[in-house]
Amino acid sequence: MPESLDLVVTSVATQLMGATSATAKDVCQNVLADLVAYFGVDVSFLRRNDHTIRASVLVAEWPVRPGIPDPDPLAVVYFTDADPVFAMAEHQKEPVVFRPEPATDDYQRTINEGRQVAATSMACVPLLSGEVTSGVLGFVKFGDRNWTDAELNALKAIASLLAQVQARVDAEEQLRYLADHDDLTGLYNRRALLNHLDVRLADGQPGPVSALFFDLDRLKAINDYLGHTAGDWFIRVLAERLRRSADGPTVIARLGGDEFVVVPATPMDAEAAEALAVRLQAALRERVAIDGEMLTRTVSIGVALGMPGHDSTSDLLRRADQAVLTAKNSGGNQVAVFTDDMSLENEFRNDIELHLQTVVESGALLLHYLPEVDMRTGDIVAMEALVRWQHPTRGLLTPDSFIGVAESINMAGELGRWVLRTACAEFAAWRSRGHGKESVVRINVSPVQLVTEGFVESVKGAMADNGLPPGSVCLEITETVVVQDIETTRITLDGLKEAGVLVAIDDFGTGYSALSQLKSLPVDTLKIDRSFVRELGSDPGDLAIVRAIIALAEAFGLELVAEGVETRAAALTLLRHGCHRAQGFLLSRPIAAGPMESLLAKGRIDVDF
Ligand code: C2E
Ligand code: CA
Ligand code: CA
């Protein structure tokens, strides 16, 4: 126990020096205990002022009251309905001493509620941070006590030390808040989310833990056209909606940009998580007013589950991320739940994307050909060029696995040009050797290619460079494209017709093209989609559709080709109803260029239906 006031102050300073936000409360309590002993009082307390809610909040007390009620009436005392003693602490600037006799009744009741105590004396010393009263250090003596000026000066010094500690702790907590929160929205940030998931996924915690990954569709347009302030405002509104709509305790984090993650506090299965996602999706879809305009943005949501003790935080977030990618890739405004297939699919996609960049230069592309046969005679009337990719590690890839990726990375044009030039060159080479002079090469064109500037010119060029005559090249376009942008398509198709290029509508029957449109377009051939052909001979519904298509082709004077003939039954049905041309595994598989030339040399395949 220090003997002089100076030593008391020094001792308090030493104790407070090492206090952090974690230890401050205990350190303060120890300090109060020392002060109670030194000054010979009965009670000491330290309270801080929360000016935002206008209240005095208990930080520490000594001795700790036995049997503190819950809730503790002294924990938070609002100034407006507080006793005068407390109320005074809101803006108090100088120490105040209360002594027993006449004026003591009020505060006596406050401190000793219900207890019968003799007259009490009290000293209240404000904690000051600049102009602001940040709290109060108080001493109570049951009975009378005189406080000397020297003592009060020492208390002022101690109060100032305590005020400093408090400021330091506040700053530390503010820093921690900032480190854990996103400053635009006040939601948790990535760091806090990772910490939270680490805790939730620890062995022995209840599971499954679900994560909902939100990605706004096309937020960029708002930033681009209305400016970043509008974009920020939009994000803030959505964050607030998420906060309001997520019932129950839920961790909501913004990962930056337009990405949010919601982690419900209670374990839930995939179905419950999906239902929650659908509900939140609807809440976010409501309109937002910005600069007098009403804007809406849809959102894609990926849902994934993690099992505590089994999955890591990064496992869970990676899955949620993949699910949201799937949701986005299938057009956005969707909820997708992670499945194991997705991770394979995604890995594959990344790998494809990586290698595809150089696929044209690397010489890894080649063409296979699918013969088209007149089923009455077996004559080879055409062949469809089908692109293949000799992938360095994955073997020979078919187009379904990479055309979509090529389109998404703007490589469809380059790839399409390669196919066009190569098919023309190979076909011309066969013809120069006298093979396939009566037949047609059919080349698939992706939708992007068709609307690319200079497309007609590039087709003309490829034919001219290889000396291919009009009527020997046919482009296959899908029905969906035709319907989507009929005017652009018409201009392109007119140009192609003029250049002597044939046009077929691929996968016919799947795209709902209007008959009137079809009639007005310069199209030569319809290819009946293989989904209608496969079950021909067993499915009467398919037969009805195929017969309708056949009638249509006849009415418009179009050539007709059935795709995907796999069975004798299908072939016979088609023949019986007047569709003679076909391709499919029953007739031939796709074959390499060499065998295709040999087949053309032979001119026909054997048919015996
Ligand atoms: P598609 O235009 O419908 O081409 C026919 C596809 O059906 C080929 O698949 C072919 O192998 C397959 N096939 C042929 N006969 C049968 C059969 O009897 N049964 C079944 N189940 N399938 C049969 P492939 O080569 O995998 O091509 C898939 C799709 O990729 C093509 O469908 C086409 O849309 C696209 N594609 C192919 N080559 C190119 C290209 O050079 N450029 C573009 N843009 N797309 C291409
Ligand atoms: Ca085709
Ligand atoms: Ca097709």
Side-chain angles (χ1 to χ4, degrees):
M1 178 61 54
E3 278 135 46
S4 78
L5 285 170
D6 284 352
L7 286 177
V8 175
V9 176
T10 314
S11 150
V12 168
T14 316
Q15 287 185 67
L16 290 179
M17 211 146 59
T20 65
S21 76
T23 62
K25 196 180 149 86
D26 287 343
V27 173
C28 288
Q29 194 174 314
N30 290 341
V31 166
L32 294 185
D34 285 358
L35 296 178
V36 164
Y38 181 81
F39 289 111
V41 292
D42 295 296
V43 172
S44 174
F45 58 85
L46 175 67
R47 307 184 65 91
R48 79 186 169 78
N49 291 350
D50 186 335
H51 292 290
T52 55
I53 56 169
R54 295 199 57 210
S56 161
V57 181
L58 182 65
V59 177
E61 61 181 345
W62 188 264
V64 177
R65 283 162 291 151
I68 298 174
D70 183 21
D72 177 4
L74 293 180
V76 178
V77 175
Y78 292 92
F79 294 127
T80 39
D81 44 47
D83 263 278
V85 175
F86 274 116
M88 183 190 67
E90 185 172 13
H91 300 297
Q92 184 187 346
K93 296 285 185 272
E94 288 296 325
V96 177
V97 174
F98 300 90
R99 304 279 299 273
E101 244 121 10
T104 60
D105 284 2
D106 272 352
Y107 67 81
Q108 181 179 326
R109 235 181 283 122
T110 308
I111 302 298
N112 305 310
E113 232 164 326
R115 252 196 300 158
Q116 205 50 53
V117 182
T120 302
S121 56
M122 205 171 163
C124 292
V125 186
L127 271 55
L128 298 171
S129 302
E131 296 293 292
V132 180
T133 305
S134 60
V136 62
L137 172 64
F139 298 93
V140 180
K141 167 85 178 165
F142 305 138
D144 194 13
R145 190 194 191 287
N146 180 37
W147 292 86
T148 65
D149 284 348
E151 282 177 327
L152 290 177
N153 280 334
L155 290 182
K156 276 166 87 169
I158 289 169
S160 129
L161 290 170
L162 288 166
Q164 281 170 34
V165 169
Q166 207 171 86
R168 210 169 69 216
V169 167
D170 286 352
E172 207 180 303
E173 278 169 2
Q174 175 70 10
L175 258 180
R176 173 158 331 129
Y177 178 89
L178 289 177
D180 276 353
H181 290 77
D182 166 52
D183 34 308
L184 178 62
T185 59
L187 297 174
Y188 285 110
N189 60 16
R190 176 185 295 271
R191 197 185 97 108
L193 175 74
L194 297 183
N195 288 340
H196 175 73
L197 285 176
D198 284 348
V199 172
R200 292 284 301 277
L201 288 169
D203 208 358
Q205 291 296 309
V209 176
S210 53
L212 284 56
F213 199 121
F214 290 65
D215 192 325
L216 288 182
D217 300 325
R218 297 176 301 120
L219 177 77
K220 199 174 165 297
I222 295 185
N223 282 327
D224 288 355
Y225 299 121
L226 299 175
H228 281 271
T229 319
D232 284 355
W233 166 252
F234 195 81
I235 286 179
R236 241 185 255 133
V237 170
L238 293 196
E240 187 49 40
R241 282 191 193 163
L242 264 186
R243 220 186 324 238
R244 266 190 285 116
S245 318
D247 51 10
T250 301
V251 168
I252 308 176
R254 174 167 176 251
L255 297 192
D258 51 3
E259 295 177 345
F260 301 85
V261 171
V262 168
V263 180
T266 45
M268 58 174 69
D269 61 16
E271 263 160 61
E274 188 179 4
L276 175 63
V278 169
R279 201 165 55 69
L280 293 177
Q281 188 191 28
L284 295 188
R285 212 166 21 219
E286 275 164 37
R287 295 191 291 178
V288 177
I290 294 181
D291 289 345
E293 299 197 52
M294 296 301 282
L295 292 178
T296 50
R297 275 295 170 271
T298 52
V299 61
S300 298
I301 308 177
V303 177
L305 265 51
M307 284 310 286
H310 183 263
D311 298 312
S312 70
T313 295
S314 58
D315 288 340
L316 177 56
L317 288 180
R318 188 167 29 74
R319 285 179 208 155
D321 190 36
Q322 276 164 19
V324 84
L325 211 91
T326 304
K328 270 192 128 48
N329 283 338
S330 43
N333 193 21
Q334 315 224 356
V335 174
V337 180
F338 176 83
T339 61
D340 283 337
D341 292 348
M342 278 182 199
S343 97
L344 287 175
E345 194 183 293
N346 208 52
E347 206 177 283
F348 184 74
R349 218 187 128 88
N350 288 340
D351 180 69
I352 295 288
E353 191 170 321
L354 192 72
H355 287 94
L356 198 58
Q357 317 274 0
T358 57
V359 75
V360 174
E361 303 99 85
S362 73
L365 291 177
L366 62 149
L367 294 179
H368 278 184
Y369 293 89
L370 185 62
E372 182 183 312
V373 176
D374 184 330
M375 292 188 290
R376 292 169 300 190
T377 58
D379 290 344
I380 312 295
V381 288
M383 62 247 126
E384 178 178 0
L386 297 168
V387 67
R388 298 289 181 264
W389 174 8
Q390 189 65 59
H391 188 276
T393 55
R394 295 177 189 274
L396 193 65
L397 299 180
T398 55
D400 290 332
S401 59
F402 61 88
I403 294 272
V405 183
E407 283 176 349
S408 72
I409 61 172
N410 286 326
M411 276 203 54
E414 198 182 337
L415 196 118
R417 275 190 296 280
W418 182 88
V419 171
L420 179 70
R421 302 203 70 85
T422 309
C424 288
E426 290 188 337
F427 186 41
W430 304 335
R431 291 166 65 97
S432 72
R433 295 188 281 266
H435 306 143
K437 288 208 136 167
E438 303 304 311
S439 59
V440 171
V441 67
R442 300 200 195 274
I443 300 169
N444 292 285
V445 171
S446 77
V448 218
Q449 243 181 307
L450 195 71
V451 296
T452 305
E453 274 220 15
F455 176 67
V456 176
E457 261 49 51
S458 72
V459 180
K460 277 195 214 168
M463 287 175 68
D465 291 351
N466 292 289
L468 288 174
S472 62
V473 174
C474 174
L475 299 183
E476 299 194 357
I477 62 177
T478 62
E479 205 183 349
T480 344
V481 189
V482 179
V483 181
Q484 256 169 20
D485 189 352
I486 186 95
E487 284 321 313
T488 317
T489 309
R490 186 192 309 282
I491 294 167
T492 308
L493 296 193
D494 285 340
L496 289 173
K497 190 180 179 69
E498 217 165 290
V501 181
L502 302 174
V503 172
I505 297 193
D506 205 355
D507 306 338
F508 190 77
T510 56
Y512 313 103
S513 51
L515 294 185
S516 54
Q517 293 175 346
L518 197 60
K519 202 170 155 186
S520 70
L521 287 175
V523 170
D524 306 279
T525 305
L526 299 184
K527 296 187 77 170
I528 308 174
D529 190 70
R530 62 176 173 275
S531 61
F532 303 113
V533 176
R534 203 172 34 219
E535 319 259 275
L536 263 191
S538 56
D539 188 325
D542 284 349
L543 178 59
I545 294 171
V546 169
R547 282 172 59 180
I549 297 177
I550 293 172
L552 191 71
E554 275 171 7
F556 292 155
L558 298 175
E559 205 167 66
L560 196 59
V561 182
E563 299 185 310
V565 175
E566 295 181 359
T567 62
R568 274 176 55 92
L572 289 171
T573 309
L574 287 165
L575 278 171
R576 196 180 318 130
H577 289 92
C579 175
H580 309 130
R581 290 178 171 229
Q583 51 184 196
F585 294 168
L586 178 72
L587 305 157
S588 170
R589 296 254 161 187
I591 51 180
M596 187 65 228
E597 186 180 5
S598 309
L599 196 58
L600 283 174
K602 202 173 137 204
R604 57 184 305 278
I605 59 164
D606 296 327
V607 284
D608 57 337
F609 312 125

